[in-house]
Structure formats: C-alpha cells, structure tokens
C-alpha cells in the first residue's frame, strides 16, 4: 500500500516497502520516463517542469500503452508529488492513463481502509510535519499482518522545509513518526 | 516504439548515414566557398563542419588563489558588448555544488549553457541516489572533456573557466580554456588577469612560502589589490566585483564590493602621460 497526502505547506508520500516483483519494475520504468520528460522540459524552457505538466506527460505515456496490442498496460498506479510557487500538488496516474489531482490518494492492497482514514483528516490546515506522523500511522494500520511479512516504511516529502525538493523525510522526524505509528496500532 | 512487425529484425537502411562514416560522392572536388555554406546545410562526410565563432557578450578576468583552509576567487560584475559596458550586474562566480564554485570569463551565453549542463549533471547525480555527489575534481574532469570535445569539433565554447573547491580536505583550483587545456595551480588568473594579476599572485605565494602561509585575510587583501590593478589597466573591467570563498564550512559568495582608487593625477596629464 502507498499513500500520498497534500497539506497546507507540502505533500507527504508514504510507502510500504515489500518485496513485490513485476510491479516494481513497471514503477521504475515510469520514474525513468518522468526524469527524461522533466529534463527535456528543462532543456527547452530553462525552468523546472510544473505539477500539471509532468502529470499530463506521464498520463499520456501510460495511456499510450493501452492503445496497441503489442504492449501491455503498466501494472502500477503512480503518485506524483510536486511543489512550486503555486503551492503543493498531488497527482495519481492509473494504469489506464487517467489521472486527477488529489488532496489525498491511496493505492495498493490496503487502499480502501487508507482512503477512509485519510478522509478523516483535516488536510487544509495540517502541516507537513503533522502529515508525516499521520501517514506513518495509516500505513502501519493498513498493513496486513496475516498476509504479509515485516515491511519497511519509507517516508518522503516535498515541502517548504525541504526547499521544494523531494527528499526522504529527515531521520529524526521519520523515527518519531514511526514511534507514533507503532504506539497507535497498539491502542486499536 | 515501432509497432509494425514487418520492420522488426530488418537491417539498417543504407540510404541514411547518421554518423558521417563515409565520404559521399557528390562532395569530391567541390571545395566549400564559405563557412555559412557548410554550416547551413546538413552534409555528409568529406569535409569537417566549422563553426568557430567570435564571442559576443563577454566577461573579463577571473582570479583564483589557494590559502590556508580553502580557495578564494574573484570576478567583476560586468558583461561587455565589445567596448560597451552592457550588463553591470552579472554574477560570473557560480556555486555548483556545496563545495565548488565556477568562475567564467569569455562569452556569457556559452557560460549560461555550461551552467545548464552542470545543473543537468548535478540532477542526474541526485537522482542516482547512491550516496555519491560530484566533487570538484569530478566537475573539473567533466568540464574539461566538454571543452576539449567542442574544440575538436571546431565549435568551441568561448570561455576560460576557473573551478575552485574543496573535497576530502584538499583544496582544488584549476582553469580550463576554450581549447580544452586544463591547468591547475595555487594561483589562477584568466584574460587580462593572466598578464597583470598572475605575477602579483605568484610573487605573494613565493615570498610567503606557499598557500599554507596565506591566511584568509591575506588572500582577500591580495585579490582586492589585483582587482584594483585590473580596474586601473583593463579597459573592459568594472570596479564592482564579488569574492567567492570555499572552505570546509562551505561556499560564501560575497555581495558586490569595490576598491578605493585614485584619479586625481589625471588632471595634471597633458597628452598621453609620457
């Protein structure tokens, strides 16, 4: 399960890292294409690509793989978090190529439960630091102990504190978030 | 994506020679009559393309000096359009990575292009996410290869770059010119600086017995003196410049500053001052 939440000052992504085959490779391919698109944009316009444009490019690319019988669609949904002078944005591109902008999005096995949890949050007023804790908690909550083994939680964000750069959430904050997450599942 | 199975597995077409690998019959015996003729048409092998240009908007000297604890560089804020002092707020010292500064003299549009190239390389390194970052000697190697490659294609980037930085405790200072010649030394000066400032810088290094005996204050004073001489004597310079200092703590590029100059003697001059 992976989730993204867009809040007042940034976007937080949280991923449950399991050893899944197949889908991971598709995801890597899309990331590679995204990087090429972003670099191409930079070369022409001498500025970084903005959220709507990169989402559009990825949407078109993914959609192309649904048009021909010689290829198969991508087996993963892609979450795109961006930050520029118009604010933070979160997009999700589905295997059909369809994409929307979201305040909160979830993909994968536990997405139903995750979506419900995200809907309970007041995202408009939340800060990234708070969002990190909630994201960690939700991932821990939806993790299916029966079906899957142990997992590694990966948190990343793009926000004012990170200067608009996408980076892994700083260790101390990530550790704090995981503590909070583990504590909250003990209560439920 | 080639969707047509009939194309798959067939050999490359002989009609298209993308890499100029063999001479094409039509060029034999015909000498090109102008550079524009060559440059204007996509031509096959037989003669090289030549695009050697002339610089248009230019920056003058860049200075660099190693001192105890790091490297300091200086460059004025002027980009000239021939004899016109066209752009007077140009930053010719550019922070590339956390501990590297690039100084540019020569054509300013080529400098902007090189900045873009370096940004692209830094982004690639960031995306690779493998714990390594490009250090000053690595950036230097990359820049040298780009410059030499362009020179070999007879289409140079008309610059002399100065790269200063610190990596793994060791300070680094070097220059690369438009021909792709790299040169590393404790003191670097490009353009007019190579004639007027380099002797001053070398003298200081010699009398003090090396860069380890030059403090940060010394280095700043030496560079300011050099910039003063250059403003007096380089007709394409300006008395507004920046200093870039690279130490273990990181990169600091100063706000623009000036040096004191005396011009009162000018009133007494008749003729050419002999």
């Amino acid at each position: 399960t992976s989730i993204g939440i867009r809040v007042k000052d940034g976007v937080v992504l949280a991923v449950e890292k399991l050893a899944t085959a197949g889908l991971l490779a598709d995801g890597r391919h899309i990331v590679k294409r995204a990087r090429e698109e972003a670099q191409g944009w930079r070369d022409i316009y001498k500025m970084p690509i903005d959220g709507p444009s990169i989402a559009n490019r990825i949407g078109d690319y993914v959609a192309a793989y649904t048009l021909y019988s010689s290829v198969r669609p991508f087996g993963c949904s892609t979450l795109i978090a961006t930050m520029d002078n118009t604010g933070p944005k979160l997009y999700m591109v589905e295997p059909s190529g369809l994409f929307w902008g979201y305040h909160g999005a979830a993909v994968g096995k536990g997405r139903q439960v995750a979506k419900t949890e995200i809907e309970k949050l007041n995202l408009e007023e939340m800060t990234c630091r708070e969002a990190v804790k909630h994201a960690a908690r939700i991932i821990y909550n939806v993790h299916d102990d029966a079906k899957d083994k142990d997992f590694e939680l990966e948190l990343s964000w793009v926000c004012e504190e990170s200067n608009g750069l996408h980076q892994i959430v700083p260790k101390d904050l990530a550790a704090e978030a995981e503590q909070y997450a583990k504590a909250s599942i003990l209560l439920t | 994506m080639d969707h047509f199975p009939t194309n798959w597995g067939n050999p490359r077409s002989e009609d298209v020679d993308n890499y100029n690998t063999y001479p094409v019959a039509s060029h034999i015996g015909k000498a090109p009559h102008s550079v524009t003729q060559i440059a204007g048409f996509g031509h096959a092998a037989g003669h090289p393309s030549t695009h050697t240009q002339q610089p248009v908007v230019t920056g003058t000297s860049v200075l660099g000096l190693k001192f105890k604890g790091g490297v300091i560089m200086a460059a004025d804020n002027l980009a000239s359009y021939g004899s016109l002092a066209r752009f007077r707020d140009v930053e010719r010292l550019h922070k590339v990575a956390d501990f590297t500064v690039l100084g540019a003299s020569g054509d300013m549009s080529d400098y902007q292009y090189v900045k873009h190239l370096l940004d692209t390389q830094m982004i690639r390194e960031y995306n690779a996410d493998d714990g390594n970052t490009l250090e000053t000697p690595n950036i230097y190697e990359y820049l040298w290869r780009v410059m030499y490659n362009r020179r070999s294609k007879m289409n140079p980037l008309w610059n002399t770059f100065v790269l200063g930085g610190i990596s793994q405790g060791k300070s680094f200072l070097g220059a690369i010119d438009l021909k792709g010649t790299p040169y590393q030394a404790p003191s670097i000066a490009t353009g007019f600086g190579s004639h007027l400032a380099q002797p001053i810088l070398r003298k200081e290094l010699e009398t003090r017995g090396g860069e380890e005996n030059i403090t940060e204050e010394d280095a700043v004073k030496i560079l300011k003196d050099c910039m003063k001489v250059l403003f007096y004597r380089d007709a394409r310079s300006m008395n507004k410049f920046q200093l870039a200092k690279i130490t273990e703590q990181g990169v600091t590029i100063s706000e623009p500053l000036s040096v004191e100059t005396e011009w009162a003697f000018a009133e007494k001059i008749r003729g050419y001052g002999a």
Side-chain angles (χ1 to χ4, degrees):
Chain A
T1 311
S2 310
I3 60 167
I5 32 184
R6 169 189 159 185
V7 290
K8 194 166 60 170
D9 60 340
V11 188
V12 176
L13 298 174
V15 165
E16 188 186 358
K17 260 166 101 171
L18 302 166
T20 49
L23 310 182
L24 209 60
D26 281 9
R28 289 221 177 104
H29 184 91
I30 293 180
V31 167
K32 186 170 192 279
R33 181 73 189 200
R35 284 176 176 165
E36 287 163 11
E37 292 281 359
Q39 186 54 52
W41 183 279
R42 258 185 182 270
D43 288 343
I44 296 172
Y45 302 108
K46 296 293 190 286
M47 59 182 261
I49 191 168
D50 63 307
S53 300
I54 184 72
N56 195 275
R57 293 288 177 102
I58 302 301
D60 282 348
Y61 185 69
V62 169
Y65 282 73
T66 67
L67 303 174
Y68 310 102
S69 56
S70 52
V71 292
R72 66 160 174 83
F74 285 97
C76 60
S77 289
T78 307
L79 293 168
I80 304 172
T82 58
M83 182 93 179
D84 52 34
N85 62 349
T86 61
K89 294 188 172 59
L90 172 67
Y91 296 92
M92 182 167 76
V93 185
E94 293 168 15
S96 61
L98 177 67
F99 70 94
W100 298 107
Y102 293 86
H103 285 275
V107 297
K109 206 161 44 151
R111 66 178 178 277
Q112 308 276 52
V113 183
K115 264 185 226 171
T116 321
E117 283 299 311
I118 294 171
E119 276 166 18
K120 293 180 190 167
L121 303 169
N122 180 5
L123 299 172
E124 297 264 324
E125 296 301 311
M126 202 182 284
T127 65
C128 258
R129 299 197 134 238
E130 291 162 8
V132 168
K133 293 211 183 101
H134 287 292
R137 174 180 60 79
I138 294 171
I139 290 287
Y140 267 84
N141 255 313
V142 305
H143 175 68
D144 192 340
D145 283 313
K147 298 248 179 79
D148 302 313
K149 292 186 216 170
D150 287 335
F151 72 101
E152 193 188 317
L153 171 69
E154 193 168 350
L155 288 162
S156 70
W157 64 1
V158 56
C159 58
E160 280 166 31
E161 200 174 318
S162 75
N163 281 319
L165 289 176
H166 176 245
Q167 53 169 224
I168 308 290
V169 169
K171 269 189 242 165
D172 48 354
L173 184 58
E176 215 185 300
E178 268 199 84
Q179 294 278 58
Y180 171 77
K182 285 181 182 156
S184 72
I185 55 165
L186 290 176
L187 294 171
T188 50
Chain B
M1 209 191 303
D2 188 349
H3 306 288
F4 298 104
T6 45
N7 285 348
W8 301 344
N10 283 335
R12 182 176 52 214
S13 164
E14 296 291 320
D15 307 322
V16 190
D17 174 27
N18 289 317
Y19 298 99
N20 243 347
T21 53
Y22 55 83
V24 174
S26 60
H27 285 270
I28 293 171
K30 275 192 213 160
H33 57 70
S34 74
V35 175
T36 18
Q37 185 210 17
I38 299 168
F41 297 91
H43 51 274
H47 53 74
S49 6
T50 52
H51 305 279
T52 316
Q53 338 104 345
Q54 43 178 326
V56 183
V57 176
T58 56
T60 184
S61 328
V62 176
L63 310 178
L65 181 65
K66 283 190 191 178
F67 64 93
K68 184 174 169 60
V71 182
I72 191 162
M73 294 162 64
D76 67 20
N77 292 101
L78 176 65
S80 311
Y81 186 60
S83 62
L84 171 67
R86 181 83 175 81
F87 303 104
R88 294 151 50 82
D89 58 1
V90 172
E91 295 192 10
R92 299 195 290 118
L93 296 171
H94 174 65
K95 176 179 162 182
V96 181
D98 284 332
F99 297 93
T100 310
V101 171
L102 172 78
S105 60
D107 190 88
M108 290 288 101
S109 64
D110 284 349
Y111 163 52
Q112 289 175 340
Y113 172 68
V114 164
K115 271 201 283 186
H116 183 77
L117 283 183
L118 289 176
D119 275 349
T120 305
Q121 284 308 118
M122 300 308 288
I123 289 172
R124 292 230 172 103
E125 279 298 300
Y126 180 82
N127 285 343
D129 199 23
D130 59 1
N132 292 321
T133 46
L134 286 175
E135 303 281 310
T136 317
N138 310 136
I139 298 169
Y140 188 71
E141 175 87 10
Y142 172 75
L143 248 191
W144 162 66
R145 283 175 191 270
V146 167
M147 300 298 275
Y148 182 69
N149 195 255
R150 289 288 299 255
R151 156 267 196 200
S152 301
K153 294 195 288 193
M154 291 297 284
N155 183 195
L157 289 160
W158 208 287
N159 298 98
T160 308
F161 291 115
V162 177
L163 201 72
I166 261 196
S167 77
Q168 289 154 350
K170 287 183 64 189
S171 55
F172 182 97
L173 181 62
I176 311 166
D177 72 2
L178 76 171
K179 294 183 211 163
T181 312
Y183 174 67
Q184 287 180 50
S187 67
I188 293 282
T190 71
F192 258 82
S194 68
H195 296 110
L196 300 174
Q198 188 68 287
I200 301 175
L201 297 173
R202 285 180 178 167
K203 182 79 182 190
E204 290 288 345
L205 278 162
E206 193 191 309
T207 50
R208 287 162 203 261
E211 71 232 42
E212 287 302 309
N213 300 324
I214 302 181
T215 67
E216 196 186 300
E217 281 103 27
D218 290 338
V220 169
K221 180 177 184 306
I222 295 167
L223 280 194
K224 278 187 180 173
D225 282 346
C226 288
M227 294 303 279
K228 192 193 293 202
V229 170
L230 286 171
F231 177 59
Y232 275 128
R233 290 299 183 177
D234 178 1
R236 303 284 181 264
S237 65
M238 185 169 76
N239 192 8
K240 180 183 167 207
F241 61 94
Q242 284 171 298
L243 294 170
K245 180 183 66 173
I246 311 112
T247 59
E248 298 265 280
Q249 277 75 51
V251 169
T252 345
I253 302 184
S254 73
E255 286 296 296
L257 59 137
S258 310
V259 280
E260 299 272 308
T261 52
E262 297 169 34
W263 297 99
F265 71 92
E267 292 182 9
K268 296 184 230 135
I269 299 214
R270 299 282 174 270
Y272 295 112

